[in-house]
Amino acid sequence: MDVTVLGGGLMGTSAAFFLARRGRKVRLIERGFIGAGATVASFGNIRRTGRFLPQLPLAHRSLALWNRAETLLGRDVEFRATGHLRLIFDDSGMDKMQAYAAAAQPWDLDIEQLDKSELRHRFPGMGQEAIGASFSPQDGSANPRLIAPAFAQAAASTGVEVVSQAEVSGIIVTAQGFAVDTSKGRFESASLLNCAGAWGRQIAEDFGEPVPLSVHGPQMGVTEALPHKIKPVIGMWSDGHGAYLRQVERGNVVFGGGVNRTPIDPVTGYAKVDPALLGKQLEKVIQLVPAMRNVTVIRQWSGCEGYVADDLPVMGPSSTTPGLFHAFGFCGHGFQLGPGVGDAMAELIDTGGCETPLEPFHIARFQ
């Protein structure tokens, strides 16, 4: 086997898929069910606005793949380029948006800047107290429940061996590469890609590469089905925890943000929402769309996400062990990046280089 990929979320399944398309023999190992970790807990936002600027080339690469997702995977994963509308409620938010829009232009991201009258005309009913907004028309959303299983199924049809519900008990370096001991046996390969999400920290630490990563869970919720009136994904420019929402085609409104994330047991990865935070969260959701004031919330959920201290992911080759690669710690904003991460890591493993700059995310920055 050429490559073992650890982690069956969006990063791992897409990496396995793109490695197989490059002719590599690949095995994908997941400790639980495919796509049932941080990926399924995601909001589903395909957003480039507000990202760390050197991350934009990776975000552009990923958006191109999102646009081809149905063709690549042979199924609809509900990617819709409905645009990303980010509302502004104060002067601080306006300054932040204008500074980012100017800085992002050299990185090939043009953001439409809307004043109050333009916002009211183009998006009536959105943020009645907003003084302006930014709009990125090519961004949008996709379904977090569909994407990782779709990549895993497409990878399997391309020859990838998918092993789920296989708890990893140890990894050792061998003369041929790596041996991964799991509850379903030992698996060997020449290279190893660590896409284990929140558990990626322990794998890196076992190879002498500590990463300052903490584990938290988002506060997510969804409403009853409503008439479909909200086309773009909506967020806000905020100094604190900004809320965000989107309406799916079935009419339900998915929302998140607005409050602190909840702590998680890093061993079990079990995440749960804090019902006491719902009221504060909904205040910000209503600020985005006042018409949602009397809407019923039907479900809440959370998930296990890994947050690196500098709010940037770990991507690239190991600094201690040849043949080991990392792609984890996406800090709650990795959904948009997912296909691009998988494609970039496949290129790096296959060729030894990557056309998309990954240096800002190298694990050596913590040494």
Side-chain angles (χ1 to χ4, degrees):
M1 192 67 66
D2 295 326
V3 186
T4 294
V5 179
L6 296 179
L10 175 52
M11 310 304 176
T13 56
S14 62
F17 172 75
F18 288 115
L19 279 164
R21 282 170 60 91
R22 288 176 172 271
R24 293 301 190 107
K25 295 180 180 179
V26 184
R27 178 183 294 111
L28 174 68
I29 299 177
E30 163 57 37
R31 69 194 297 266
F33 293 99
I34 297 294
T39 300
V40 79
S42 169
F43 173 63
N45 198 2
I46 310 297
R47 167 190 66 83
R48 292 171 298 160
T49 303
R51 289 194 177 276
F52 175 60
L53 293 174
Q55 198 176 67
L56 284 175
L58 182 61
H60 296 327
R61 179 174 185 156
S62 196
L63 181 61
L65 292 167
W66 279 111
N67 278 287
R68 296 172 51 208
E70 187 168 356
T71 300
L72 283 170
L73 303 177
R75 59 184 293 188
D76 180 15
V77 293
E78 298 181 8
F79 168 69
R80 303 290 185 267
T82 55
H84 180 251
L85 180 69
R86 202 164 187 178
L87 302 176
I88 304 166
F89 291 96
D90 53 36
D91 291 339
S92 174
M94 181 65 76
D95 292 343
K96 190 183 294 291
M97 183 276 288
Q98 291 176 340
Y100 186 84
Q105 280 189 328
W107 295 88
D108 297 324
L109 177 61
D110 290 322
I111 300 172
E112 297 181 23
Q113 301 182 46
L114 311 181
D115 61 22
K116 187 174 182 178
S117 62
E118 290 174 310
L119 174 63
R120 299 287 177 272
H121 175 71
R122 293 178 59 179
F123 302 99
M126 305 295 110
Q128 290 180 355
E129 298 177 356
I131 62 173
S134 65
F135 185 61
S136 182
Q138 295 177 326
D139 292 334
S141 64
N143 192 328
R145 295 181 174 274
L146 300 179
I147 187 63
F151 264 117
Q153 184 177 28
S157 67
T158 315
V160 173
E161 179 185 355
V162 179
V163 184
S164 61
Q165 295 181 276
E167 190 75 33
V168 175
S169 56
I171 305 171
I172 61 173
V173 177
T174 68
Q176 291 74 37
F178 300 86
V180 180
D181 290 319
T182 78
S183 56
K184 291 192 173 180
R186 169 171 285 195
F187 301 100
E188 299 189 30
S189 62
S191 299
L192 182 69
L193 174 56
N194 171 18
C195 293
W199 290 270
R201 174 187 61 183
Q202 186 59 58
I203 295 172
E205 189 171 312
D206 289 344
F207 286 93
E209 299 178 288
V211 174
L213 180 146
S214 57
V215 183
H216 301 278
Q219 293 270 119
M220 304 301 302
V222 64
T223 74
E224 62 184 317
L226 306 165
H228 197 279
K229 300 289 186 180
I230 306 171
K231 185 177 180 181
V233 177
I234 303 178
M236 63 172 66
W237 289 93
S238 171
D239 292 327
H241 295 289
Y244 41 83
L245 62 83
R246 64 184 179 93
Q247 187 173 26
V248 303
E249 292 170 350
R250 294 171 291 281
N252 308 82
V253 177
V254 182
F255 62 87
V259 293
N260 290 328
R261 301 176 181 93
T262 58
I264 295 175
D265 183 338
V267 177
T268 65
Y270 180 67
K272 60 181 180 180
V273 297
D274 182 353
L277 297 178
L278 180 60
K280 181 179 179 181
Q281 186 177 41
L282 290 177
E283 288 179 5
K284 292 192 175 181
V285 169
I286 293 168
Q287 191 178 11
L288 295 176
V289 183
M292 289 183 59
R293 182 173 299 277
N294 297 317
V295 172
T296 300
V297 176
I298 61 173
R299 186 168 67 91
Q300 291 181 270
W301 70 92
S302 186
C304 184
E305 296 179 334
Y307 291 82
V308 181
D310 61 5
D311 206 34
L312 296 176
V314 175
M315 285 184 68
S318 166
S319 61
T320 64
T321 310
L324 173 63
F325 299 84
H326 301 291
F328 69 92
F330 286 86
C331 308
H333 48 75
F335 188 79
Q336 190 277 346
L337 299 174
V341 170
D343 192 30
M345 294 306 298
E347 180 188 0
L348 178 63
I349 294 169
D350 185 49
T351 69
C354 184
E355 65 178 14
T356 301
L358 302 179
E359 289 78 11
F361 319 120
H362 197 282
I363 197 167
R365 70 186 191 268
F366 302 114
Q367 296 177 9

